[in-house]
């Protein structure tokens, strides 16, 4: 995405702004070092630099903290390198001091604060093209909704502010009820879909679009069991006529097809930014040679056998979880685990940073949302069948059996979501929203899981530094 590669020193100024509610970081700052933004937002170029900075915290989704607490906490992902941090998630033996919770919380609120800056400051710029201003504010509202959507799904009610935090005062804020957070998310997305373009020129590919706002709205409504709204928004994405499935599943994740017809919104990776740009392609597959012949890939996480065995033998999607690889000297090695090659980047440098984007919203997800929502409203209609069969046909599978009951069709949708979207940060959220987390994980063998684990603990540092924050039940004071 060229617009991320054009971020200037002005963005660096914005990056220095304090993290909203991340009090530990705030207390480490020297108040004299805070940069005032009052004199910054004066032109269209200032606004563009600010919105570019608001995209940067999307890196939370490609960092280890996020996919450890979303995928490794389920029956889809296991750890090869079993650090205490990972074992605590795998075994549900974590508490509020677990560093991954703090990492994700801080990153999400960093993003929220940056979007608040854009929404509040760009609106007051006088010497700026009106259409550009409207679009940038729409982008910021989409991003704010995305950051809050993940926060509310992980923790329930969270502190919510729609104004930027630029100083140390007034940081003690109570949690906002989850329903109110969702209503703000929906409002932001409705505003965004009304002003965002359907497509961008090549240099701006990867920015939030109208389709992205509609697709995220569909997922929000699905999470809230607002079936009619979810189905309608998914249908609107389909009706745009600009998205489609690639002929082969693997094609949805290649460098050549980034921001292509199946991508609705993705985190734009840039290997030039160095380590941390997107480390998933480095952590998931076992070592393989890059174009320079250098073995790269850590292979520290793996697919579970349970996930691997959930695929039919003819399902081509299973091929992204393979059990062997070839070393630089041509030796074939069979592994005692199922390696994840879904995000392999053949150009991966030895630094481990990748240009491979991370999917947030794919067209196949919209089809699955539509099928599930329609079934919940009306049972398995022909339209619901068509949506899920389109995905199955791409995977080299036969169509679903006809004459399914609503319950039977629901079970097929759940199974297809797991097989279509593994290691994309969806599994835990799906299990929680459908009420299947405890039963699924207990059947998988996770004995420690309890009712309160449907939500994660508020990071302990946030509780200590903000006395108005109340901990989620089950995690102590």
């Amino acid at each position: 995405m060229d617009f991320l590669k054009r971020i200037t020193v002005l963005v660096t100024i914005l990056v220095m702004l304090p993290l909203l509610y991340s009090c530990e970081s705030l207390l480490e700052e020297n108040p004299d070092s805070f940069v005032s933004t009052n004199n910054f937002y004066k032109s269209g170029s200032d606004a563009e630099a600010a919105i570019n900075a608001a995209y940067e915290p999307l890196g939370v989704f490609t960092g280890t903290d996020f996919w450890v607490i979303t995928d490794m906490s389920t029956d889809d992902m296991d750890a090869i390198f079993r650090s205490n941090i990972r074992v605590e998630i795998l075994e549900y033996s974590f508490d509020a001091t677990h560093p991954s919770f703090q990492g994700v919380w801080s990153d999400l609120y960093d993003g929220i604060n940056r979007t608040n800056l854009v929404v509040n400051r760009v609106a007051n710029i006088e010497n700026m093209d009106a259409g550009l201003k409207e679009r940038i504010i729409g982008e910021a509202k989409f991003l704010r909704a995305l950051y809050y959507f993940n926060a509310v799904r992980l923790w329930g009610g969270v502190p919510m502010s729609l104004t930027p935090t630029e100083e140390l005062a007034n940081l003690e804020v109570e949690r906002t009820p989850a329903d109110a957070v969702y209503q703000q998310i929906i409002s932001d997305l409705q505003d965004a879909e009304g002003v965002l373009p359907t497509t961008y020129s090549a240099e701006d590919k990867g920015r939030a679009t109208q389709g992205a706002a509609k697709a995220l709205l569909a997922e929000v409504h699905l999470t809230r069991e607002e079936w009619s709204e979810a189905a309608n928004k998914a249908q609107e994405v389909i009706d745009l006529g600009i998205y489609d499935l690639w002929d082969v599943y693997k094609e949805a994740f290649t460098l050549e097809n980034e921001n292509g017809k199946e991508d609705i919104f993705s985190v734009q990776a840039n290997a030039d930014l160095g380590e941390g740009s997107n480390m998933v392609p480095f952590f998931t597959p076992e070592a393989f040679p890059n174009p320079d012949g250098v073995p790269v890939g850590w292979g520290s996480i793996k697919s579970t056998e349970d996930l691997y065995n959930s695929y039919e033998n003819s399902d081509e999607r299973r091929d992204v979880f393979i059990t062997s690889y070839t070393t630089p000297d041509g030796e074939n090695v069979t592994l005692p685990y199922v390696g994840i090659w879904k995000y392999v980047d053949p150009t991966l440098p030895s630094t481990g940073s990748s240009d491979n984007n991370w999917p947030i919203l794919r067209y196949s997800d919209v089809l699955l949302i539509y099928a599930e929502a329609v079934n919940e409203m009306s049972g398995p209609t022909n339209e619901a069948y068509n949506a899920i069969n389109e995905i199955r046909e791409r995977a080299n599978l036969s169509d679903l059996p006809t004459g399914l009951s609503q319950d039977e069709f629901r079970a097929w949708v759940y199974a297809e979501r797991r097989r279509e979207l593994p290691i994309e940060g969806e599994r835990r959220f799906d299990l929680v929203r459908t009420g299947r987390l405890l039963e699924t994980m207990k059947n998988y063998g996770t004995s420690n899981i309890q009712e309160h684990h449907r939500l994660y603990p508020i990071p302990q540092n946030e509780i200590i530094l903000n006395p108005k924050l109340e901990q989620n039940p089950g995690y102590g004071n």
Side-chain angles (χ1 to χ4, degrees):
M1 180 200 293
D2 287 343
F3 78 83
L4 280 185
K5 296 177 182 179
R6 300 198 309 269
I7 294 178
T8 67
V9 70
L10 296 177
V11 174
T12 304
I13 294 175
L14 292 175
V15 171
M16 293 172 63
L17 292 171
L19 302 180
L20 178 61
Y21 304 125
S22 184
C23 301
E24 180 180 30
S25 298
L26 285 170
L27 291 179
E28 292 173 355
E29 294 281 358
N30 180 346
D32 293 336
S33 71
F34 284 108
V35 179
S36 172
T37 59
N38 292 332
N39 296 320
F40 177 76
Y41 295 89
K42 297 296 184 182
S43 67
S45 61
D46 292 346
E48 290 183 275
I51 190 60
N52 288 349
Y55 280 89
E56 192 270 341
L58 289 173
V60 63
F61 300 112
T62 64
T64 57
D65 286 335
F66 186 80
W67 43 261
V68 161
I69 67 176
T70 54
D71 282 317
M72 195 170 285
S73 63
T74 75
D75 52 348
D76 276 6
M77 182 191 284
D78 201 347
I80 299 167
F81 176 62
R82 285 182 171 256
S83 64
N84 288 339
I85 290 174
R86 293 179 179 182
V87 169
E88 288 172 0
I89 295 294
L90 288 166
E91 297 181 350
Y92 277 78
S93 59
F94 53 77
D95 59 25
T97 65
H98 193 286
S100 291
F101 301 137
Q102 182 67 63
V104 174
W105 177 284
S106 296
D107 287 343
L108 290 176
Y109 273 106
D110 180 19
I112 289 166
N113 199 41
R114 296 185 195 203
T115 58
N116 283 339
L117 281 163
V118 174
V119 172
N120 286 270
R121 296 289 188 267
V122 171
N124 297 323
I125 297 177
E126 296 180 356
N127 300 319
M128 181 180 177
D129 177 77
L132 178 61
K133 176 190 291 188
E134 187 176 59
R135 191 205 82 194
I136 286 176
I137 292 175
E139 289 180 73
K141 288 188 175 183
F142 169 84
L143 293 172
R144 182 166 67 184
L146 179 61
Y147 293 134
Y148 269 128
F149 183 44
N150 283 279
V152 75
R153 288 189 295 174
L154 291 169
W155 290 291
V158 291
M160 185 174 70
S161 175
L162 305 181
T163 58
T165 297
E166 301 176 79
E167 57 184 25
L168 293 172
N170 302 318
L171 288 177
E172 295 183 5
V173 181
E174 296 178 350
R175 297 174 66 174
T176 301
D179 186 65
V181 178
Y182 273 113
Q183 292 306 319
Q184 182 59 48
I185 291 168
I186 292 170
S187 176
D188 274 349
L189 291 174
Q190 288 173 338
D191 288 347
E193 69 172 332
V195 299
L196 291 177
T198 55
T199 60
Y200 289 91
S201 59
E203 66 176 6
D204 281 324
K205 284 283 188 180
R207 291 187 182 275
T209 61
Q210 181 184 114
K214 290 180 182 296
L216 188 55
L217 259 175
E219 187 172 6
V220 170
H221 288 307
L222 190 81
T223 300
R224 290 172 57 79
E225 299 185 349
E226 296 165 348
W227 310 121
S228 177
E229 293 87 343
N232 288 341
K233 283 302 167 187
Q235 184 67 63
E236 289 178 17
V237 176
I238 296 169
D239 290 343
L240 287 174
I242 58 177
Y243 304 109
D244 201 357
L245 300 180
W246 292 104
D247 292 338
V248 178
Y249 181 71
K250 182 63 178 176
E251 292 179 345
F253 308 97
T254 63
L255 293 173
E256 295 79 8
N257 293 334
E258 285 185 344
N259 302 316
K261 61 183 180 180
E262 193 163 338
D263 276 3
I264 298 178
F265 188 76
S266 299
V267 179
Q268 305 295 298
N270 181 359
D272 293 338
L273 297 179
E275 291 188 18
S277 59
N278 183 1
M279 298 297 287
V280 178
F282 180 71
F283 278 104
T284 51
E286 185 58 54
F288 63 96
N290 68 10
D292 297 325
V294 178
V296 294
W298 194 343
S300 66
I301 62 175
K302 61 182 179 179
S303 160
T304 63
E305 291 187 17
D306 190 76
L307 171 60
Y308 184 83
N309 292 332
S310 73
Y311 290 90
E312 299 175 46
N313 288 335
S314 61
D315 194 329
E316 293 182 353
R317 293 172 296 189
R318 192 177 67 175
D319 291 343
V320 301
F321 303 111
I322 63 177
T323 57
S324 65
Y325 70 99
T326 302
T327 65
D329 58 6
E331 179 185 2
N332 185 265
V333 179
T334 299
L335 306 176
Y337 53 82
V338 184
I340 301 171
W341 288 67
K342 185 172 185 174
Y343 300 106
V344 166
D345 178 358
T347 67
L348 194 68
S350 58
T351 59
S353 56
S354 172
D355 273 329
N356 199 331
N357 290 349
W358 175 266
I360 299 292
L361 296 163
R362 289 196 294 116
Y363 184 61
S364 60
D365 194 0
V366 170
L367 293 175
L368 288 166
I369 289 172
Y370 178 78
E372 181 177 346
V374 169
N375 181 61
E376 295 299 336
M377 285 193 303
S378 311
T381 66
N382 288 336
E383 291 77 13
Y385 267 101
N386 290 340
I388 198 168
N389 283 337
E390 186 174 348
I391 293 171
R392 288 179 58 81
E393 289 166 8
R394 195 260 293 270
N396 192 38
L397 297 173
S398 60
D399 289 349
L400 288 184
T402 58
L404 295 173
S405 68
Q406 184 181 50
D407 288 345
E408 290 170 335
F409 190 89
R410 180 186 299 120
W412 275 103
V413 172
Y414 289 168
E416 284 304 318
R417 286 192 65 83
R418 186 187 189 192
R419 292 188 287 254
E420 176 67 21
L421 306 170
I423 323 301
E424 294 186 35
E426 294 286 346
R427 180 63 171 167
R428 176 182 167 83
F429 294 135
D430 278 347
L431 291 175
V432 170
R433 71 175 177 81
T434 59
R436 295 178 293 138
L437 178 66
L438 269 67
E439 178 183 5
T440 297
M441 296 309 295
K442 285 182 178 179
N443 289 339
Y444 177 65
T446 306
S447 59
N448 290 332
I449 193 167
Q450 300 178 47
E451 183 71 25
H452 67 269
H453 289 130
R454 295 178 189 273
L455 294 175
Y456 281 136
I458 302 293
Q460 188 62 33
N461 285 341
E462 304 298 325
I463 296 291
I464 292 172
L465 296 169
N466 181 359
K468 291 186 178 180
L469 275 182
E470 294 184 4
Q471 184 58 273
N472 278 325
Y475 296 107
N477 297 326

